[in-house]
Each structure stands twice: as structure tokens, then as C-alpha cells.
Amino acid sequence: MASRSQDQTQNLRVLGTGRLSPAKNGPGAYLLESFGNCYPARMYVISIVFPEFTSLCPVTGQPDTGVICVEYIPDALCVESKSFKLYMFAFRNHQSFMETITNTVLDDLRVAIAPRWCRVKGFFAPRGGTRIHVFAEDFKQMSMEQDACVREAARAWKTEPCPHTVQPYAVV
């Protein structure tokens, strides 16, 4: 008999269903599912990298591609990875500037999981000879003591070299 973890899965609707089609209404926090953080007293960072991001320019309709990297310190909830993938897929036919996309992902994660800290990094492929990298960051309102702990954990993470966060489109 297999053992079970303490992970809370009762509210997940997408994982394990085989449904892979993205939402027809475009991206939104409603697509992001969550599960309970089993370690809410611990300051730890979750990093999710989506290396095949695509969207459309709102003016020309031309495709934009890039890598979206989300880093967060969870509070009560963590984002479920399959729902995150479907959320990212929802941008494929969505027209928006790169700056708006990066900030929208941050805002939607704040609504869906209310992390203690979250940073979204958008490394967009060059188009027209121009590279654009957009970083958006937010800290949740907390007590001074908790805020100091979260900021220290985020600062330590930012200085730690991580192979998956190396700029995929290096400036030469």
C-alpha cells in the first residue's frame, strides 16, 4: 500500500483529469488553482520557470516569445503547477505588451495565492533588434517582524546563483 503525504488536493479540478486545453476567456486568476502550504511557518522560495511563453503584440498581432520565471515565498497557499501551465497557455492568443504581461502575472498570483513575496521575471526574445526584460515584485503587508524575515529570505534568494534564472537571451 502506498503512503500519502499531507498535501491538500481535495480542491484541485485540473490535475489528473487529462484536460490540457487552455481557457477561452484569456488569462486570469480564475485559472490558477492552489493547495495548502504544508510549511507555513517556514520561509522558503518556490521557483517556477515557463520557458515556452508566447503572446501577441497588441498593435501588430506579431508573436512575442520568452521565458517567464516566477519566484515566491508562500503564505497559506501554493500554486498548482498544471493550472499554472494552463494559465501561461492562455496568453498564446492574448494581445498585450510585455510590461503588462509581467505585471498581470504578478497581480493574478497575488489574487490566487496571496504569497508573502513574489517576483515575476519576463525574459522576452528580441524582436526588431531589441531585448526586453521586465521584472515585477511585491511584498505582502505583514507585521514588522514577519516582513523582516520575508525580506531577508527574498534577499538571500536574489543573491544565490540559480542556473534556471540565467538570462536566456544574453546581452552580447
Side-chain angles (χ1 to χ4, degrees):
M1 181 178 195
S3 64
R4 296 240 348 140
S5 72
Q6 56 194 5
D7 297 325
Q8 301 168 23
T9 61
Q10 64 273 14
N11 295 323
L12 300 178
R13 301 177 314 273
V14 177
L15 185 62
T17 64
R19 291 182 291 159
L20 290 174
S21 58
K24 292 179 175 44
N25 297 328
Y30 70 95
L31 291 170
L32 295 168
E33 293 188 344
S34 62
F35 59 92
N37 178 8
C38 293
Y39 306 96
R42 185 175 296 156
M43 295 295 156
Y44 67 100
V45 175
I46 296 173
S47 177
I48 304 172
V49 178
F50 192 78
E52 299 177 358
F53 180 82
T54 59
S55 64
L56 300 172
C57 172
V59 176
T60 66
Q62 293 293 310
D64 288 319
T65 62
V67 176
I68 301 293
C69 178
V70 171
E71 302 163 334
Y72 70 97
I73 297 174
D75 194 356
L77 300 171
C78 300
V79 70
E80 191 279 317
S81 61
K82 184 174 181 181
S83 73
F84 182 79
K85 176 175 71 172
L86 295 176
Y87 171 77
M88 289 283 106
F89 286 166
F91 282 95
R92 286 190 174 174
N93 293 315
H94 179 75
Q95 295 183 318
S96 204
F97 287 124
M98 298 167 195
E99 297 83 354
T100 302
I101 290 165
T102 305
N103 282 281
T104 297
V105 172
L106 177 62
D107 290 343
D108 287 346
L109 284 165
R110 288 179 63 213
V111 168
I113 61 169
R116 292 176 175 138
W117 165 76
C118 187
R119 177 171 59 177
V120 178
K121 301 187 293 188
F123 300 99
F124 297 95
R127 224 165 39 88
T130 303
R131 299 177 202 282
I132 296 179
H133 297 170
V134 182
F135 293 12
E137 178 178 49
D138 185 64
F139 287 86
K140 185 177 186 176
Q141 292 280 355
M142 296 171 275
S143 69
M144 285 178 50
E145 183 179 312
Q146 229 186 0
D147 185 77
C149 290
V150 168
R151 287 181 186 274
E152 180 53 38
R155 188 173 15 263
W157 173 257
K158 289 179 189 180
T159 59
E160 191 65 31
C162 296
H164 71 273
T165 58
V166 173
Q167 296 177 3
Y169 306 107
V171 177
V172 260

